[in-house]
Amino acid sequence: MNRRRRHAALLASLALAGVVGLGACGAGGDATGTTPSVPTATAPGNDPADLASGEPVPSGPTSGWGPDLWNDDEGPGMMGGDGGSWAPGMMGSGMTGNWWLAGDGHPVRTLDQARERATAFADRLDLRVGEVMQFTLNFYAQLETTAGRQATEVLVNPADGAVQIEYGPAMMWNTDYGMHHGSRGHTTVSASQARDIAQQWLHDRDTTLTAGDPESFPGYYTLHTLQSGKITGMLSVDAATGQVWYHSWHGDFVGMDGHE
């Protein structure tokens, strides 16, 4: 197996096994009809008992993938770049920008501090920071284009300020800034259908959670999950297949800050 394939396989295995298992929850979407079916089987991190009981679901890493992830005995860096960097065009489009920003050693304790760190990352991609959220395990931020369109999602490590493209949907489904950059899948799921799919997914897991308004990212939608109108977490719906991916790595919701 050549180097590119080995790295792609490693990235996929980390996303699917080491962070949250997509499993049957992400494999049963039906892209052939006007309303894709909703998978009913569960996977690690998507246990309905966890969601219904309020117990924390299994979490993924809270820090960025370190530069060592991209180094092997063939030399530093994925695709021959600097160790730890991953441009949106990782398969050769020539686009620039890093997938991971090392921390500056200072703890991030507030939404303003998280926005500052996310901005340092966003500047590399000529993007700006939109919504910022604080959870017990990490900070989350949405990055937007200068035109105000949603671009991608990132995580900020509260321990040292490291920033990375969020694992899960942002890494695996985002067609502009993810692993499969440039692979323009056919969109079969509308925003309203994404909300219906998300709500059915939550219902099938015997929760009392409701799905919020979908936000459209390249290749997928992300929605808040709500309990009596208050945010509890989030999940994403693939725009091509209707697959659902619950963001199990955040912990409990603490607070949020909108646009500057």
Side-chain angles (χ1 to χ4, degrees):
M1 181 182 293
N2 64 29
R3 189 180 180 206
R4 177 179 298 179
R5 290 180 179 176
R6 285 191 290 108
H7 279 299
L10 174 61
L11 185 59
S13 64
L14 283 169
L16 298 179
V19 178
V20 55
L22 183 60
C25 284
D30 179 4
T32 60
T34 56
T35 304
S37 60
V38 181
T40 56
T42 60
N46 289 324
D47 192 314
D50 293 331
L51 294 175
S53 66
E55 293 297 320
V57 293
S59 63
T62 57
S63 63
W65 304 126
D68 288 344
L69 174 66
W70 308 118
N71 296 335
D72 58 19
D73 55 7
E74 296 181 14
M78 191 172 188
M79 302 295 105
D82 294 335
S85 65
W86 183 44
M90 60 175 274
M91 293 306 173
S93 74
M95 293 179 66
T96 60
N98 289 335
W99 182 75
W100 182 81
L101 175 66
D104 59 6
H106 299 291
V108 176
R109 298 188 174 95
T110 69
L111 288 164
D112 286 343
Q113 291 172 338
R115 179 177 293 278
E116 182 178 349
R117 291 300 298 160
T119 297
F121 178 89
D123 287 346
R124 297 182 172 196
L125 301 175
D126 293 324
L127 299 174
R128 66 186 188 189
V129 180
E131 181 179 277
V132 180
M133 304 176 72
Q134 181 178 4
F135 294 89
T136 52
L137 296 181
N138 50 50
F139 288 87
Y140 159 96
Q142 296 178 347
L143 304 190
E144 304 174 345
T145 68
T146 55
R149 294 188 298 273
Q150 300 289 11
T152 189
E153 303 164 284
V154 300
L155 298 178
V156 179
N157 184 354
D160 64 0
V163 186
Q164 67 174 89
I165 295 287
E166 186 180 25
Y167 23 79
M171 184 168 64
M172 301 297 293
W173 292 346
N174 194 302
T175 55
D176 283 353
Y177 296 90
M179 175 181 172
H180 302 291
H181 164 76
S183 58
R184 298 290 182 182
H186 180 60
T187 298
T188 63
V189 180
S190 68
S192 61
Q193 288 173 332
R195 185 171 186 173
D196 290 343
I197 289 170
Q199 188 58 59
Q200 185 64 49
W201 189 90
L202 292 169
H203 176 77
D204 288 346
R205 279 145 186 82
D206 297 324
T207 79
T208 56
L209 298 177
T210 58
D213 294 330
E215 298 185 85
S216 180
F217 289 87
Y220 67 101
Y221 303 92
T222 290
L223 307 86
H224 295 153
T225 56
L226 309 171
Q227 182 69 63
S228 300
K230 297 181 179 180
I231 296 172
T232 63
M234 64 183 71
L235 54 74
S236 296
V237 178
D238 191 297
T241 66
Q243 296 168 2
V244 172
W245 201 326
Y246 183 77
H247 296 210
S248 63
W249 43 85
H250 293 305
D252 296 330
F253 174 72
V254 176
M256 65 182 296
D257 173 41
H259 294 68
E260 289 187 312

